[in-house]
Amino acid sequence: MHTNSPSIPADVAAHVLFHYGHDGGYQAGSFTTSLLTTIGMADPSNMDRLAAGFPEYVAAVTAIQYDPDGVARLEAIARGEVAA
């Protein structure tokens, strides 16, 4: 699985929060919504492939799925309180 931690921009954090039903986000366009669904379902090998083209989205989805503090972190990024 992809282990680098690229910076997560506020808009990416907001898209991921919305996609996973959390406060503080807003809906992305149709391509990005499909991308988020794909990243969420990817196995480690395909996650690495997706990270090559969309590292910020993969980092944000990984945070929300696997990091116990991921939601709070993404909310803070989306609010502009911290940089990822």
Side-chain angles (χ1 to χ4, degrees):
M1 182 192 263
H2 187 71
T3 57
N4 291 341
S5 295
S7 177
I8 300 171
D11 62 332
V12 171
H15 293 159
V16 172
L17 287 166
F18 182 91
H19 185 77
Y20 283 88
H22 295 281
D23 292 333
Y26 56 86
Q27 186 168 14
S30 60
F31 175 82
T32 302
T33 298
S34 294
L35 176 64
L36 290 170
T37 299
T38 301
I39 293 170
M41 298 181 337
D43 59 40
S45 177
N46 284 310
M47 184 79 79
D48 285 342
R49 289 185 181 109
L50 289 164
F54 306 98
E56 299 89 355
Y57 279 101
V58 170
V61 169
T62 300
I64 208 162
Q65 287 185 336
Y66 301 109
D67 181 353
D69 299 318
V71 172
R73 185 171 146 235
L74 292 176
E75 288 173 339
I77 293 167
R79 287 189 304 264
E81 294 175 0
V82 296

